[in-house]
Amino acid sequence: AQTVTQSQPEMSVQEAETVTLSCTYDTSENNYYLFWYKQPPSRQMILVIRQEAYKQQNATENRFSVNFQKAAKSFSLKISDSQLGDTAMYFCAFMKHGGTYKYIFGTGTRLKVLA
Amino acid sequence: DVKVTQSSRYLVKRTGEKVFLECVQDMDHENMFWYRQDPGLGLRLIYFSYDVKMKEKGDIPEGYSVSREKKERFSLILESASTNQTSMYLCAIHTAEDSNQPQHFGDGTRLSIL
């Protein structure tokens, strides 16, 4: 069975600084997808970034980028130039290729951006 | 834009009541999911459905059932609510055949069982 671990329950960062959220996972699958979701205090979960395991290049979306290390089963999220609006819960999620589109979520990291 | 609507943002019910949480999508997507979110535990899958009248248990189905009579609506049912079912409930849909497409979530229902 797959597991996803987020070892940082809470983090804080100064506005305009860079922060990295960690995520590790365990799987015997070779083909899978990884996601980072953001849940602001208003509660709707929104996708931040996604990574296909077969792609070696790390995904980037504006200020958000990932460091995907397949051999180490690590998938960290880097937020550059942090903004107050980045304050949220961040969840890492795993989904294996094919099958039922089920996600396995980590326990989340609460990020607070300080003015 | 994908729209996932949960019928209530906040709900307060009594122990032993039968509780219905509704989730409606505005497109013809097949895969729908119910999660519960608890602090320190993340999101855990209760049930999911991959078509009308088709359902599968997730990781924590005990105490819950689901109904999908129409493609656009997926209901979560607490047969006899208990205080340990006080939680945030999130509905999600998967929008495409391709696995790399993300799930889209509703706003959530914060359910309190007294």
Side-chain angles (χ1 to χ4, degrees):
Chain A
Q2 292 85 12
T3 59
V4 176
T5 301
Q6 294 180 249
S7 58
Q8 306 150 314
E10 294 187 357
M11 297 186 72
S12 61
V13 62
Q14 289 294 136
E15 200 174 7
E17 297 291 305
T18 294
V19 64
T20 298
L21 280 57
S22 68
C23 173
T24 58
Y25 58 94
D26 189 26
T27 185
S28 58
E29 301 285 335
N30 190 50
N31 252 353
Y32 51 87
Y33 304 89
L34 296 163
F35 305 86
W36 277 100
Y37 277 85
K38 169 184 177 181
Q39 187 183 42
S42 63
R43 294 198 316 237
Q44 187 175 40
M45 296 265 285
I46 55 174
L47 179 71
V48 175
I49 199 165
R50 81 191 85 173
Q51 176 82 41
E52 293 91 339
Y54 64 84
K55 288 187 178 179
Q56 291 187 336
Q57 188 172 6
N58 289 326
T60 61
E61 287 286 343
N62 301 313
R63 298 183 295 108
F64 298 88
S65 61
V66 298
N67 183 4
F68 173 50
Q69 302 288 328
K70 190 173 184 180
K73 296 179 182 172
S74 171
F75 182 60
S76 60
L77 174 70
K78 185 171 83 170
I79 307 174
S80 304
D81 185 24
S82 297
Q83 300 175 359
L84 296 178
D86 295 333
T87 292
M89 282 289 290
Y90 287 82
F91 292 96
C92 179
F94 169 100
M95 183 176 69
K96 69 177 185 179
H97 177 74
T100 56
Y101 310 111
K102 290 196 300 181
Y103 280 16
I104 306 296
F105 282 91
T107 52
T109 295
R110 185 178 300 280
L111 176 68
K112 189 168 186 178
V113 180
L114 306 171
Chain B
D1 275 2
V2 176
K3 191 168 176 65
V4 182
T5 302
Q6 294 185 231
S7 52
S8 306
R9 293 291 293 267
Y10 300 93
L11 206 53
V12 179
K13 295 292 182 181
R14 297 245 173 235
T15 304
E17 279 193 71
K18 190 169 186 176
V19 181
F20 293 85
L21 303 183
E22 306 287 343
C23 177
V24 178
Q25 56 158 314
D26 64 341
M27 297 290 282
D28 203 32
H29 303 297
E30 293 178 342
N31 299 285
M32 300 183 74
F33 304 82
W34 274 108
Y35 297 92
R36 78 175 266 176
Q37 181 181 359
D38 299 289
L41 297 176
L43 278 74
R44 294 177 292 166
L45 182 64
I46 305 172
Y47 267 97
F48 66 100
S49 169
Y50 48 91
D51 207 342
V52 174
K53 296 190 186 297
M54 308 300 285
K55 61 186 179 185
E56 279 196 29
K57 294 179 180 179
D59 300 316
I60 52 165
E62 298 78 18
Y64 303 95
S65 63
V66 289
S67 172
R68 193 158 179 206
E69 296 297 318
K70 294 184 179 181
K71 202 161 198 176
E72 67 269 20
R73 186 180 296 269
F74 188 36
S75 303
L76 180 69
I77 304 160
L78 286 64
E79 297 289 346
S80 177
S82 64
T83 54
N84 63 12
Q85 293 177 308
T86 290
S87 187
M88 169 72 79
Y89 290 87
L90 293 173
C91 176
I93 64 173
H94 187 267
T95 57
E97 295 296 323
D98 293 331
S99 294
N100 72 342
Q101 294 300 311
Q103 290 187 8
H104 295 264
F105 288 82
D107 286 343
T109 296
R110 185 166 294 283
L111 175 64
S112 296
I113 306 297
L114 305 179

